[in-house]
Short mmCIF file of all heavy atoms in Angstrom, two decimals:
data_model
loop_
_atom_site.label_atom_id
_atom_site.label_comp_id
_atom_site.label_asym_id
_atom_site.label_seq_id
_atom_site.Cartn_x
_atom_site.Cartn_y
_atom_site.Cartn_z
N VAL A 1 4.73 -3.27 -11.56
CA VAL A 1 5.24 -3.12 -10.20
C VAL A 1 4.90 -1.71 -9.75
O VAL A 1 5.20 -0.74 -10.45
CB VAL A 1 6.76 -3.34 -10.14
CG1 VAL A 1 7.27 -3.06 -8.74
CG2 VAL A 1 7.12 -4.76 -10.57
N GLN A 2 4.27 -1.61 -8.60
CA GLN A 2 3.98 -0.31 -8.02
C GLN A 2 4.99 -0.03 -6.92
O GLN A 2 5.26 -0.91 -6.08
CB GLN A 2 2.57 -0.26 -7.45
CG GLN A 2 1.47 -0.32 -8.50
CD GLN A 2 1.23 -1.74 -9.02
OE1 GLN A 2 1.22 -2.70 -8.25
NE2 GLN A 2 1.05 -1.86 -10.32
N LEU A 3 5.52 1.17 -6.92
CA LEU A 3 6.55 1.56 -5.95
C LEU A 3 6.10 2.81 -5.21
O LEU A 3 5.68 3.79 -5.85
CB LEU A 3 7.88 1.83 -6.65
CG LEU A 3 8.46 0.66 -7.46
CD1 LEU A 3 9.67 1.12 -8.26
CD2 LEU A 3 8.83 -0.50 -6.55
N VAL A 4 6.21 2.78 -3.89
CA VAL A 4 5.80 3.92 -3.08
C VAL A 4 6.92 4.25 -2.10
O VAL A 4 7.24 3.45 -1.22
CB VAL A 4 4.50 3.64 -2.31
CG1 VAL A 4 4.13 4.85 -1.46
CG2 VAL A 4 3.37 3.28 -3.28
N GLU A 5 7.50 5.44 -2.27
CA GLU A 5 8.57 5.89 -1.39
C GLU A 5 7.99 6.61 -0.17
O GLU A 5 6.90 7.19 -0.23
CB GLU A 5 9.51 6.86 -2.10
CG GLU A 5 10.19 6.33 -3.34
CD GLU A 5 9.48 6.74 -4.61
OE1 GLU A 5 8.25 7.01 -4.54
OE2 GLU A 5 10.13 6.81 -5.66
N SER A 6 8.75 6.58 0.90
CA SER A 6 8.41 7.33 2.11
C SER A 6 9.69 7.62 2.87
O SER A 6 10.74 7.04 2.58
CB SER A 6 7.43 6.55 2.98
OG SER A 6 8.00 5.32 3.39
N GLY A 7 9.58 8.51 3.84
CA GLY A 7 10.71 8.79 4.72
C GLY A 7 11.44 10.08 4.45
O GLY A 7 12.36 10.43 5.19
N GLY A 8 11.03 10.80 3.41
CA GLY A 8 11.68 12.08 3.15
C GLY A 8 11.29 13.11 4.19
O GLY A 8 10.43 12.89 5.05
N GLY A 9 11.96 14.26 4.12
CA GLY A 9 11.65 15.32 5.06
C GLY A 9 12.74 16.36 5.10
O GLY A 9 13.62 16.41 4.22
N LEU A 10 12.68 17.18 6.13
CA LEU A 10 13.65 18.25 6.33
C LEU A 10 14.60 17.86 7.46
O LEU A 10 14.15 17.45 8.53
CB LEU A 10 12.93 19.55 6.68
CG LEU A 10 13.81 20.75 7.06
CD1 LEU A 10 14.69 21.16 5.89
CD2 LEU A 10 12.94 21.91 7.52
N VAL A 11 15.88 17.99 7.20
CA VAL A 11 16.88 17.63 8.20
C VAL A 11 18.03 18.62 8.12
O VAL A 11 18.30 19.18 7.05
CB VAL A 11 17.36 16.18 7.98
CG1 VAL A 11 18.08 16.03 6.65
CG2 VAL A 11 18.23 15.69 9.13
N GLN A 12 18.70 18.82 9.22
CA GLN A 12 19.86 19.70 9.22
C GLN A 12 21.08 18.97 8.67
O GLN A 12 21.17 17.74 8.73
CB GLN A 12 20.16 20.19 10.63
CG GLN A 12 19.17 21.21 11.15
CD GLN A 12 19.62 21.83 12.47
OE1 GLN A 12 20.30 21.19 13.25
NE2 GLN A 12 19.22 23.07 12.71
N ALA A 13 22.01 19.74 8.15
CA ALA A 13 23.26 19.15 7.66
C ALA A 13 23.91 18.33 8.77
O ALA A 13 23.92 18.73 9.94
CB ALA A 13 24.20 20.24 7.18
N GLY A 14 24.40 17.17 8.39
CA GLY A 14 24.98 16.25 9.35
C GLY A 14 24.01 15.24 9.90
O GLY A 14 24.42 14.27 10.55
N GLY A 15 22.74 15.45 9.64
CA GLY A 15 21.71 14.55 10.14
C GLY A 15 21.52 13.32 9.25
O GLY A 15 22.25 13.12 8.28
N SER A 16 20.51 12.54 9.60
CA SER A 16 20.24 11.29 8.91
C SER A 16 18.77 11.16 8.56
O SER A 16 17.90 11.72 9.25
CB SER A 16 20.63 10.10 9.79
OG SER A 16 22.01 10.09 10.08
N LEU A 17 18.51 10.43 7.50
CA LEU A 17 17.16 10.04 7.12
C LEU A 17 17.22 8.63 6.56
O LEU A 17 18.24 8.21 6.00
CB LEU A 17 16.58 10.97 6.04
CG LEU A 17 16.07 12.34 6.45
CD1 LEU A 17 15.68 13.13 5.21
CD2 LEU A 17 14.89 12.23 7.39
N ARG A 18 16.12 7.93 6.68
CA ARG A 18 16.01 6.60 6.09
C ARG A 18 14.81 6.58 5.16
O ARG A 18 13.67 6.76 5.61
CB ARG A 18 15.83 5.53 7.15
CG ARG A 18 15.90 4.10 6.60
CD ARG A 18 15.36 3.11 7.60
NE ARG A 18 15.76 1.75 7.32
CZ ARG A 18 15.12 0.68 7.80
NH1 ARG A 18 14.08 0.84 8.61
NH2 ARG A 18 15.55 -0.54 7.50
N LEU A 19 15.07 6.40 3.89
CA LEU A 19 14.01 6.29 2.91
C LEU A 19 13.60 4.83 2.74
O LEU A 19 14.44 3.94 2.80
CB LEU A 19 14.46 6.85 1.56
CG LEU A 19 14.99 8.28 1.55
CD1 LEU A 19 15.30 8.70 0.11
CD2 LEU A 19 14.02 9.24 2.19
N SER A 20 12.33 4.62 2.53
CA SER A 20 11.80 3.29 2.26
C SER A 20 11.06 3.31 0.93
O SER A 20 10.51 4.35 0.53
CB SER A 20 10.83 2.84 3.36
OG SER A 20 11.48 2.76 4.60
N CYS A 21 11.05 2.20 0.27
CA CYS A 21 10.32 2.06 -0.98
C CYS A 21 9.62 0.70 -0.95
O CYS A 21 10.27 -0.34 -1.00
CB CYS A 21 11.26 2.15 -2.17
SG CYS A 21 10.50 1.79 -3.77
N ALA A 22 8.30 0.74 -0.84
CA ALA A 22 7.51 -0.48 -0.77
C ALA A 22 7.02 -0.85 -2.16
O ALA A 22 6.46 -0.01 -2.87
CB ALA A 22 6.33 -0.28 0.17
N ALA A 23 7.23 -2.10 -2.52
CA ALA A 23 6.84 -2.58 -3.85
C ALA A 23 5.64 -3.50 -3.74
O ALA A 23 5.45 -4.21 -2.76
CB ALA A 23 8.00 -3.31 -4.50
N SER A 24 4.84 -3.49 -4.78
CA SER A 24 3.72 -4.43 -4.89
C SER A 24 3.53 -4.78 -6.35
O SER A 24 3.97 -4.05 -7.24
CB SER A 24 2.43 -3.82 -4.31
OG SER A 24 2.07 -2.65 -5.01
N GLY A 25 2.88 -5.89 -6.58
CA GLY A 25 2.68 -6.33 -7.95
C GLY A 25 3.45 -7.60 -8.22
O GLY A 25 3.20 -8.61 -7.59
N ARG A 26 4.40 -7.54 -9.09
CA ARG A 26 5.16 -8.72 -9.47
C ARG A 26 6.19 -9.09 -8.41
O ARG A 26 6.42 -8.36 -7.47
CB ARG A 26 5.82 -8.49 -10.83
CG ARG A 26 4.80 -8.32 -11.95
CD ARG A 26 5.43 -8.24 -13.30
NE ARG A 26 4.42 -8.15 -14.35
CZ ARG A 26 4.69 -8.01 -15.63
NH1 ARG A 26 5.96 -7.97 -16.03
NH2 ARG A 26 3.73 -7.94 -16.52
N THR A 27 6.81 -10.24 -8.59
CA THR A 27 7.74 -10.77 -7.61
C THR A 27 8.92 -9.82 -7.42
O THR A 27 9.71 -9.59 -8.34
CB THR A 27 8.24 -12.15 -8.04
OG1 THR A 27 7.12 -13.01 -8.25
CG2 THR A 27 9.16 -12.73 -6.97
N PHE A 28 9.03 -9.29 -6.21
CA PHE A 28 10.04 -8.27 -5.91
C PHE A 28 11.45 -8.78 -6.16
O PHE A 28 12.30 -8.05 -6.68
CB PHE A 28 9.84 -7.84 -4.46
CG PHE A 28 10.76 -6.77 -3.99
CD1 PHE A 28 10.71 -5.50 -4.56
CD2 PHE A 28 11.66 -7.00 -2.96
CE1 PHE A 28 11.53 -4.49 -4.12
CE2 PHE A 28 12.50 -6.00 -2.51
CZ PHE A 28 12.43 -4.74 -3.09
N SER A 29 11.69 -10.03 -5.82
CA SER A 29 13.06 -10.56 -5.92
C SER A 29 13.49 -10.80 -7.37
O SER A 29 14.64 -11.19 -7.62
CB SER A 29 13.20 -11.85 -5.11
OG SER A 29 12.28 -12.82 -5.57
N ASN A 30 12.62 -10.57 -8.32
CA ASN A 30 13.00 -10.67 -9.73
C ASN A 30 13.66 -9.39 -10.25
O ASN A 30 14.08 -9.34 -11.41
CB ASN A 30 11.79 -10.97 -10.60
CG ASN A 30 11.38 -12.44 -10.52
OD1 ASN A 30 12.15 -13.29 -10.09
ND2 ASN A 30 10.16 -12.73 -10.92
N TYR A 31 13.73 -8.39 -9.39
CA TYR A 31 14.19 -7.07 -9.82
C TYR A 31 15.39 -6.59 -9.03
O TYR A 31 15.45 -6.75 -7.81
CB TYR A 31 13.07 -6.05 -9.67
CG TYR A 31 11.89 -6.29 -10.59
CD1 TYR A 31 10.89 -7.19 -10.25
CD2 TYR A 31 11.80 -5.64 -11.82
CE1 TYR A 31 9.82 -7.43 -11.11
CE2 TYR A 31 10.74 -5.87 -12.67
CZ TYR A 31 9.76 -6.76 -12.32
OH TYR A 31 8.71 -6.99 -13.17
N GLY A 32 16.33 -5.96 -9.76
CA GLY A 32 17.28 -5.11 -9.09
C GLY A 32 16.56 -3.80 -8.76
O GLY A 32 15.55 -3.46 -9.38
#
């Protein structure tokens, strides 16, 4: 399974970010 994260960055305290992790390879739903 290959995993690629994105969405990081610099934010001020109190702010928000949304991280994503895209999977490829084996069946994603077989994994926690």
Side-chain angles (χ1 to χ4, degrees):
V1 175
Q2 292 79 41
L3 301 172
V4 179
E5 302 97 335
S6 61
L10 174 64
V11 64
Q12 288 188 330
S16 298
L17 283 174
R18 188 195 197 200
L19 305 184
S20 298
C21 173
S24 61
R26 296 186 177 177
T27 304
F28 182 64
S29 59
N30 283 342
Y31 294 84

